[in-house]
Amino acid sequence: MGARGAPSRRRQGGRRLRYLPTGSFPFLLLLLLLCIQLGGGQKKKENLLAEKVEQLMEWSSRRSIFRMNGDKFRKFIKAPPRNYSMIVMFTALQPQRQCSVCRQANEEYQILANSWRYSSAFCNKLFFSMVDYDEGTDVFQQLNMNSAPTFMHFPPKGRPKRADTFDLQRIGFAAEQLAKWIADRTDVHIRVFRPPNYSGTIALALLVSLVGGLLYLRRNNLEFIYNKTGWAMVSLCIVFAMTSGQMWNHIRGPPYAHKNPHNGQVSYIHGSSQAQFVAESHIILVLNAAITMGMVLLNEAATSKGDVGKRRIICLVGLGLVVFFFSFLLSIFRSKYHGYPYSFLIK
């Protein structure tokens, strides 16, 4: 009876129990430990990311642009995990560097960062930082960077691409241009708010007051208003300012000149036809004025009825001004438009 009843005790509900092989337990244990480790690693990454974002938000609450040295750059920008974009300005603001362009670019960068910090769209997806050469020399060496200022975008994932470096030489460093570039790289649109600048209003008020005062003092003799020479000079000044690129400078905000950080050589003429320096506009203005003066002297020598010897001297001076300065102007044009075949006197 006992032998026959044993099989029936091994049945439960008509189904026979099946046991796992004893060799599968180490595999299950290893799989369980692996899952626990992966879950712990993911949790660790999430905690690390949360700490980084919290730290960045704390810095942003105190200052729109926070400065970084080598350690902070590697921790918050280069090292994963990261789910935010970082705009970095590489600059050299120390007085001994004598980088006037860096100070001008820093002012525009500050306007842009403040516009983002105090906007209603501000979030933890975009931050602004700065690396000064004297505080992060190792960062400049790591990125093989040899010029300043330079703006770069570091995306949340992957390495920066070529378009993540702002083309400062061609576009300039105005806050509006930087905002447009950031919108292209991050889809974050920043409306730039500039602090009120009353210098233009004050200058206009002073000009109106000066003209009004002059008219009042000369109220009994206003014949100078009909002076053709005076109005011609005013017109020429406006023409010189416009043809030299002053309006382009006002819109794009280019640097005054460029100093090579390796040899210290200063360039006043931009090497590309797509950009220019402020000093270049001044040079073109002077050249156009000299050529115009030469043409005026030639016209005076041809139309006046004075002494022949004096007229000959005026003609030679005018011709010399036109020939020399036009040749100089043509050489500048040739240096900017590479491949232009024509030159005159000066190459």
Side-chain angles (χ1 to χ4, degrees):
M1 293 293 294
R4 294 179 180 178
S8 62
R9 286 196 298 267
R10 293 193 186 115
R11 296 172 180 263
Q12 295 182 359
R15 297 170 64 183
R16 182 170 300 187
L17 293 176
R18 297 180 179 179
Y19 299 96
L20 293 173
T22 57
S24 62
F25 285 104
F27 174 75
L28 291 175
L29 182 60
L30 180 62
L31 184 62
L32 179 62
L33 291 176
L34 183 61
C35 292
I36 295 175
Q37 185 177 4
L38 290 176
Q42 184 66 25
K43 188 67 175 179
K44 185 177 180 181
K45 286 184 179 181
E46 293 177 358
N47 293 336
L48 179 59
L49 178 60
E51 291 177 2
K52 292 170 70 173
V53 173
E54 182 181 0
Q55 181 66 69
L56 293 174
M57 290 296 290
E58 180 184 351
W59 288 342
S60 297
S61 65
R62 290 182 291 178
R63 186 171 297 179
S64 301
I65 302 173
F66 38 85
R67 306 174 77 97
M68 286 193 169
N69 54 21
D71 295 334
K72 291 180 179 178
F73 179 84
R74 285 182 284 272
K75 178 180 178 181
F76 291 95
I77 297 180
K78 298 294 290 184
R82 193 174 71 248
N83 64 350
Y84 50 85
S85 293
M86 183 73 73
I87 307 298
V88 184
M89 175 185 177
F90 298 92
T91 184
L93 294 175
Q94 296 300 322
Q96 65 268 20
R97 300 299 175 186
Q98 299 180 355
C99 183
S100 59
V101 181
C102 296
R103 291 190 291 270
Q104 297 171 11
N106 181 58
E107 294 176 359
E108 294 294 316
Y109 191 51
Q110 195 74 47
I111 292 173
L112 176 64
N114 289 335
S115 300
W116 167 245
R117 173 64 184 84
Y118 298 105
S119 69
S120 58
F122 175 74
C123 62
N124 58 3
K125 298 301 180 183
L126 178 65
F127 297 99
F128 291 85
S129 63
M130 176 190 303
V131 177
D132 193 283
Y133 179 79
D134 294 282
E135 299 173 1
T137 308
D138 53 339
V139 178
F140 277 75
Q141 295 174 352
Q142 180 181 353
L143 298 176
N144 294 324
M145 192 170 297
N146 53 18
S147 63
T150 300
F151 297 94
M152 286 189 65
H153 164 242
F154 291 87
K157 295 180 180 179
R159 296 182 178 181
K161 300 178 181 178
R162 183 176 181 180
D164 288 314
T165 300
F166 182 68
D167 192 353
L168 183 144
Q169 298 295 336
R170 186 176 64 87
I171 304 177
F173 48 72
E176 291 77 9
Q177 298 298 330
L178 287 168
K180 183 178 179 181
W181 168 67
I182 291 174
D184 293 338
R185 304 311 304 164
T186 65
D187 291 331
V188 175
H189 297 271
I190 303 175
R191 184 180 178 184
V192 177
F193 293 94
R194 291 186 175 274
N197 186 1
Y198 302 105
S199 58
T201 305
I202 295 174
L204 181 60
L206 290 175
L207 179 61
V208 172
S209 302
L210 180 62
V211 173
L214 181 61
L215 292 175
Y216 178 78
L217 294 175
R218 299 290 299 272
R219 61 186 181 277
N220 297 325
N221 184 12
L222 298 178
E223 294 181 358
F224 70 95
I225 296 179
Y226 305 98
N227 190 317
K228 296 181 180 180
T229 304
W231 286 113
M233 295 296 294
V234 172
S235 301
L236 283 175
C237 291
I238 297 174
V239 170
F240 291 153
M242 294 298 104
T243 56
S244 63
Q246 294 296 332
M247 186 59 66
W248 192 93
N249 294 339
H250 180 73
I251 296 173
R252 297 296 183 90
Y256 186 82
H258 175 69
K259 184 177 182 180
N260 192 314
H262 297 293
N263 52 24
Q265 183 178 1
V266 180
S267 300
Y268 298 101
I269 305 295
H270 199 283
S272 172
S273 61
Q274 302 296 323
Q276 68 178 17
F277 298 131
V278 176
E280 183 177 337
S281 298
H282 297 165
I283 294 172
I284 299 300
L285 188 149
V286 172
L287 294 179
N288 286 334
I291 294 171
T292 304
M293 178 61 67
M295 295 299 296
V296 170
L297 292 178
L298 287 174
N299 181 72
E300 184 70 18
T303 57
S304 64
K305 298 181 180 180
D307 181 62
V308 176
K310 184 178 179 180
R311 291 169 58 188
R312 185 179 290 111
I313 294 175
I314 294 176
C315 179
L316 292 175
V317 172
L319 184 62
L321 287 174
V322 172
V323 170
F324 178 77
F325 288 104
F326 180 77
S327 179
F328 194 7
L329 184 65
L330 189 61
S331 68
I332 294 176
F333 183 84
R334 192 168 183 261
S335 66
K336 293 179 69 66
Y337 289 83
H338 304 286
Y340 186 75
Y342 306 107
S343 62
F344 184 64
L345 293 183
I346 302 175
K347 293 185 178 182

